[in-house]
Amino acid sequence: MVGRVQRIPLARNRDFMLLWSGEALSLLGSQASNVAFPLLVLALTGSAAKAGIVGLARWVPVAVAAVPAGMAADRFDRKRLMIGSDVVRALLLASIPVALWLGRPSFLQIAAVAFFDGSFFTLRYVCERGVLPRVVDPPQLPDAVAQNEARVFAASIIGPPLGGVLFAAARALPFVADAISYGASMATVAATRFKPAERGVVPPAGRFGGLADGFLWLWRAPFYRTAALLFALGNPLFTGLYLLAILLAKRYGASSGEVGVMFAIVGGGGLLGAFIAGPLRRLMRPRSALVAEAWLMACVVPLLFIAHDALLIGLVVAACELPTPMSNSLVSGQRVAVTPEHLLGRVQAAAALVTMSLAWLGPLAVGFLFQHAGAGVTVAVACGWAAALALVTVAASPLRREPPRLELQVAASTGAGSASGAEGLSGKRTPTVSPPA
């Protein structure tokens, strides 16, 4: 009989905390610039539609770059790719302060920086999920994912008001802060020590580097395949909601600093969700979390009709963010734990492509609807989308056939020899991603 393995708590795991803290700093800078991008476009052009286009430019790469990012993550050293991504993103963000110092950045430059920043975010995100099993034990992965969610929302509390204050002081400052944060992230990744893969890296086979393997793995898992499609339908609502909150707040006279405070409230909702995700995750099943999230959105979004100041708008969006860490940790944590090492990048890429395939539609639709049809119509469309998503989630029959809990999957894979074998490819497991912050 094998004795129980004593695991190092995540808070005392040096390498996990290095990885966690570096990305936390990066996310802090990104949250500051997330507010600054639309504020800069509105200040320079006064166009809600152009602000929506920049939002489109930030979200399109999450889907478009997912497949090449996954192939790169499975073929090349993931640590070096993460460091390289941080370097490129730092240079990109630094170009905006330089352009402001020299004169006035063009709308094309702002959109291009947003696009390529999103592209390299995707590469780093795929790589980070791929290295997570090499710094924590498989049964700890759901908790690690939940802590990563807490990191996102903690940055969401501090970053937006910081971005609003910095933007009010000087338009270049949020982008300078973001560039510096990427440098800090690069340093912590460089100092992180990763355990070797259980079976070593298996180079992707075939002319196109095993392009289809991640999609096949996803397709063979009905429950998680359906969950990924539901995330794809829900992500335009999430991405559009952030821009809608900014446009509504500015319509009701909010300052740049007040917009930042509003998003700090939003981050507080997500952070609270991350704190309660741990104990609730042991009581809830994945389908229950997905259904609860969809219906909460359907009930809360209509409150935007009566929210006429930044504080109330922030509370509405915060309520929408509350269940996100729960569904993410339940679905994504299990997926990372049971994905074969040599497929981690491509499986994550396949999920990112599916789930983020429509994310670009949210800010684009909100920007154009708000400018040409008005605030009321835009909120009504968001309410209709949320209600339709809730109905589809309840009606989706594959969600009723849930996979076994992670502990059972890990035990089964250990008894069979390895989670990287054929069992891992045919079981009801698949990746999923939430809307990146």
Side-chain angles (χ1 to χ4, degrees):
M1 183 174 179
V2 180
R4 185 173 181 177
V5 178
Q6 186 69 30
R7 297 185 180 91
I8 301 174
L10 292 178
R12 289 166 47 196
N13 184 327
R14 170 193 178 273
D15 297 304
F16 173 74
M17 292 308 299
L18 272 173
L19 197 64
W20 187 93
S21 59
E23 181 62 10
L25 291 172
S26 175
L27 287 168
L28 181 62
S30 295
Q31 289 294 336
S33 65
N34 278 347
V35 171
F37 267 106
L39 290 176
L40 180 62
V41 173
L42 289 172
L44 295 177
T45 69
S47 171
K50 287 186 175 180
I53 291 173
V54 170
L56 164 70
R58 286 179 72 81
W59 285 107
V60 162
V62 179
V64 173
V67 170
M71 294 172 65
D74 285 341
R75 183 174 290 274
F76 304 108
D77 184 86
R78 291 169 188 157
K79 180 176 181 178
R80 293 181 180 179
L81 288 175
M82 292 167 70
I83 293 173
S85 297
D86 285 333
V87 171
V88 174
R89 294 174 78 189
L91 294 174
L92 285 169
L93 269 294
S95 72
I96 291 182
V98 171
L100 286 167
W101 180 62
L102 294 176
R104 176 188 177 103
S106 67
F107 172 71
L108 180 61
Q109 179 192 352
I110 298 171
V113 170
F115 177 85
F116 287 108
D117 183 46
S119 298
F120 284 96
F121 160 79
T122 304
L123 176 59
R124 196 192 187 288
Y125 176 82
V126 169
C127 290
E128 186 186 29
R129 284 291 170 92
V131 300
L132 197 57
R134 295 170 62 184
V135 294
V136 302
D137 294 325
Q140 292 178 301
L141 282 167
D143 289 330
V145 172
Q147 287 201 27
N148 286 352
E149 293 292 321
R151 174 185 66 187
V152 172
F153 292 112
S156 299
I157 293 176
I158 303 172
L162 177 63
V165 170
L166 292 176
F167 188 86
R171 293 174 179 175
L173 286 180
F175 304 101
V176 172
D178 199 7
I180 293 173
S181 74
Y182 291 142
S185 173
M186 177 187 64
T188 58
V189 172
T192 302
R193 301 169 302 198
F194 298 106
K195 295 183 292 187
E198 288 185 9
R199 291 188 168 186
V201 176
V202 180
R207 180 179 299 179
F208 299 103
L211 176 64
D213 292 347
F215 291 97
L216 287 174
W217 200 81
L218 177 59
W219 180 257
R220 292 168 179 168
F223 177 88
Y224 290 104
R225 182 182 68 230
T226 304
L229 292 172
L230 289 172
F231 277 121
L233 293 174
N235 277 334
L237 186 59
F238 274 102
T239 58
L241 201 57
Y242 299 133
L243 179 59
L244 179 58
I246 292 175
L247 296 175
L248 287 173
K250 298 297 285 185
R251 181 174 184 261
Y252 297 126
S255 66
S256 298
E258 289 171 331
V259 170
V261 172
M262 176 183 71
F263 276 101
I265 295 172
V266 174
L271 185 61
L272 177 61
F275 279 128
I276 65 177
L280 287 182
R281 190 178 61 248
R282 292 163 178 81
L283 302 175
M284 295 186 70
R285 303 291 296 179
R287 180 179 183 272
S288 301
L290 293 172
V291 170
E293 180 179 27
W295 277 106
L296 181 62
M297 291 277 289
C299 294
V300 168
V301 171
L303 295 177
L304 289 175
F305 280 116
I306 59 174
H308 292 167
D309 62 60
L311 173 62
L312 294 177
I313 295 168
L315 289 173
V316 170
V317 182
C320 294
E321 287 284 15
L322 185 65
T324 301
M326 170 69 70
S327 56
N328 285 352
S329 60
L330 277 170
V331 178
S332 189
Q334 287 199 131
R335 188 272 305 167
V336 173
V338 299
T339 301
E341 165 68 26
H342 67 282
L343 282 175
L344 274 168
R346 281 166 290 166
V347 168
Q348 179 62 44
L353 179 60
V354 173
T355 60
M356 303 307 297
S357 58
L358 298 176
W360 57 270
L361 180 61
L364 184 66
V366 165
F368 277 88
L369 279 173
F370 200 95
Q371 180 162 322
H372 298 293
V377 171
T378 308
V379 174
V381 170
C383 292
W385 194 287
L389 179 63
L391 293 173
V392 170
T393 303
V394 171
S397 58
L399 293 184
R400 297 187 176 94
R401 299 188 295 274
E402 295 186 355
R405 291 184 181 274
L406 176 62
E407 292 81 0
L408 298 179
Q409 292 175 324
V410 171
S413 65
T414 303
S418 174
S420 300
E423 176 95 22
L425 288 173
S426 60
K428 294 182 179 179
R429 312 155 189 150
T430 194
T432 185
V433 293
S434 65

